[in-house]
Amino acid sequence: MNPEALKQVYLVQELDTQISQLRYRLNHLDRGEREQAERDQAQDDFHRAQQRQKQLHIELTDRELELKSVEDKKKKFETRLFAGTILNPKELDATRKEVEALARQREHLDERILNLWDEIEAAKQATEKAEKKLNATQTLCTKKLAEYQRQKDELQRTLHALQRKRDEAAAVVHPDLLQRYERSRKKHNGVGIAKVYDGTCEACGMTLPVSTIEALRDGSQLATCDACARLLCIE
């Protein structure tokens, strides 16, 4: 087997190795999953803060309407109480108690409304803070995705260029020898041919018989490593 033909196969192997490494890098690029997760969490937090603020405003409106209703009702009972139109002692006592109950209800509503104003202010600040965080995480996410796309495009361009070189290198190899290499490469984790260095197989490190090395040098036969069964080539 012509040693130069085996060197050409080894060139194909080197290109295949580079292509495999590039594909690995391409498949393991940082796609910004962490940044996207942080953005999604910030978005959920912002929506919850918005909803909380909205609910507080709704409750404030309800309590203010309830307060107005209580005040109107209390005023109505007070008018009856002080108009002197109620002569029955029991009815008079019941009206007085109703006025007192309405006064207590108004007091509770006043307190709740004051608390709601404080809660709304706190909710507003929380919403603004959540919005700032969302904007910041969105910016980081956008940058990360842009960087991922840039790296991906660059790797794909390099990969396409290497694939063209590989096709050109494989085209000058005899089809039978190329097929033998492909079978060996498939069996041995992507490495189908190994060089001989200092009498050993580059792939597995086993010492090769002298007869194998001599056969490689004179091109008398196609040699494989006795240990790993890969094709061999020699400088």
Side-chain angles (χ1 to χ4, degrees), residues 155-170:
L155 287 175
Q156 285 181 332
R157 284 194 296 270
T158 305
L159 185 60
H160 292 157
L162 282 174
Q163 189 63 56
R164 285 196 300 271
K165 288 183 180 180
R166 197 270 185 195
D167 294 341
E168 292 169 359

Side-chain angles (χ1 to χ4, degrees), residues 111-172:
E111 183 179 359
R112 179 56 186 154
I113 288 171
L114 288 174
N115 289 336
L116 278 170
W117 280 113
D118 291 338
E119 291 179 28
I120 287 172
E121 181 59 29
K124 179 183 177 183
Q125 293 177 6
T127 301
E128 291 172 351
K129 183 179 179 181
E131 186 175 18
K132 287 180 181 179
K133 186 174 182 180
L134 174 59
N135 291 336
T137 55
Q138 181 63 61
T139 299
L140 287 176
C141 188
T142 300
K143 289 181 179 178
K144 192 66 178 183
L145 290 175
E147 177 61 16
Y148 161 72
Q149 191 62 49
R150 185 193 67 78
Q151 293 181 7
K152 179 183 176 182
D153 293 343
E154 183 178 342
L155 287 175
Q156 285 181 332
R157 284 194 296 270
T158 305
L159 185 60
H160 292 157
L162 282 174
Q163 189 63 56
R164 285 196 300 271
K165 288 183 180 180
R166 197 270 185 195
D167 294 341
E168 292 169 359
V172 301

Side-chain angles (χ1 to χ4, degrees), residues 13-203:
Q13 171 67 79
E14 288 181 319
L15 290 168
D16 280 336
T17 298
Q18 292 179 55
I19 288 171
S20 295
Q21 291 172 346
L22 273 177
R23 283 176 177 164
Y24 179 86
R25 288 177 59 191
L26 189 58
N27 291 331
H28 291 79
L29 281 177
D30 185 353
R31 299 170 182 264
E33 285 89 351
R34 180 177 63 83
E35 287 79 6
Q36 291 181 62
E38 290 178 352
R39 178 205 58 194
D40 293 344
Q41 182 61 57
Q43 193 170 53
D44 289 342
D45 293 342
F46 175 61
H47 288 159
R48 279 195 294 270
Q50 276 188 320
Q51 187 63 27
R52 171 63 176 163
Q53 189 176 355
K54 181 180 178 181
Q55 289 172 345
L56 289 171
H57 275 291
I58 291 173
E59 184 182 354
L60 177 63
T61 299
D62 290 343
R63 297 292 80 81
E64 287 177 338
L65 288 173
E66 186 179 359
L67 177 62
K68 185 178 184 306
S69 176
V70 168
E71 287 177 337
D72 289 345
K73 192 174 181 181
K74 179 175 176 291
K75 185 177 180 180
K76 179 180 177 181
F77 277 100
E78 286 176 336
T79 299
R80 290 184 61 199
L81 182 64
F82 298 112
T85 58
I86 304 175
L87 301 177
N88 188 306
K90 289 185 178 180
E91 184 180 356
L92 186 63
D93 185 57
T95 303
R96 187 181 297 108
K97 288 180 179 179
E98 185 66 28
V99 170
E100 292 171 353
L102 289 169
R104 289 192 297 271
Q105 188 176 357
R106 184 182 65 179
E107 183 179 349
H108 292 155
L109 286 169
D110 282 337
E111 183 179 359
R112 179 56 186 154
I113 288 171
L114 288 174
N115 289 336
L116 278 170
W117 280 113
D118 291 338
E119 291 179 28
I120 287 172
E121 181 59 29
K124 179 183 177 183
Q125 293 177 6
T127 301
E128 291 172 351
K129 183 179 179 181
E131 186 175 18
K132 287 180 181 179
K133 186 174 182 180
L134 174 59
N135 291 336
T137 55
Q138 181 63 61
T139 299
L140 287 176
C141 188
T142 300
K143 289 181 179 178
K144 192 66 178 183
L145 290 175
E147 177 61 16
Y148 161 72
Q149 191 62 49
R150 185 193 67 78
Q151 293 181 7
K152 179 183 176 182
D153 293 343
E154 183 178 342
L155 287 175
Q156 285 181 332
R157 284 194 296 270
T158 305
L159 185 60
H160 292 157
L162 282 174
Q163 189 63 56
R164 285 196 300 271
K165 288 183 180 180
R166 197 270 185 195
D167 294 341
E168 292 169 359
V172 301
V173 178
H174 191 281
D176 291 341
L177 181 56
L178 184 63
Q179 190 176 33
R180 177 77 178 270
Y181 159 73
E182 293 287 7
R183 287 198 301 269
S184 177
R185 180 169 173 262
K186 187 176 181 180
K187 287 181 181 179
H188 300 102
N189 197 30
V191 180
I193 187 170
K195 277 188 177 181
V196 176
Y197 283 116
D198 294 330
T200 63
C201 172
E202 171 191 39

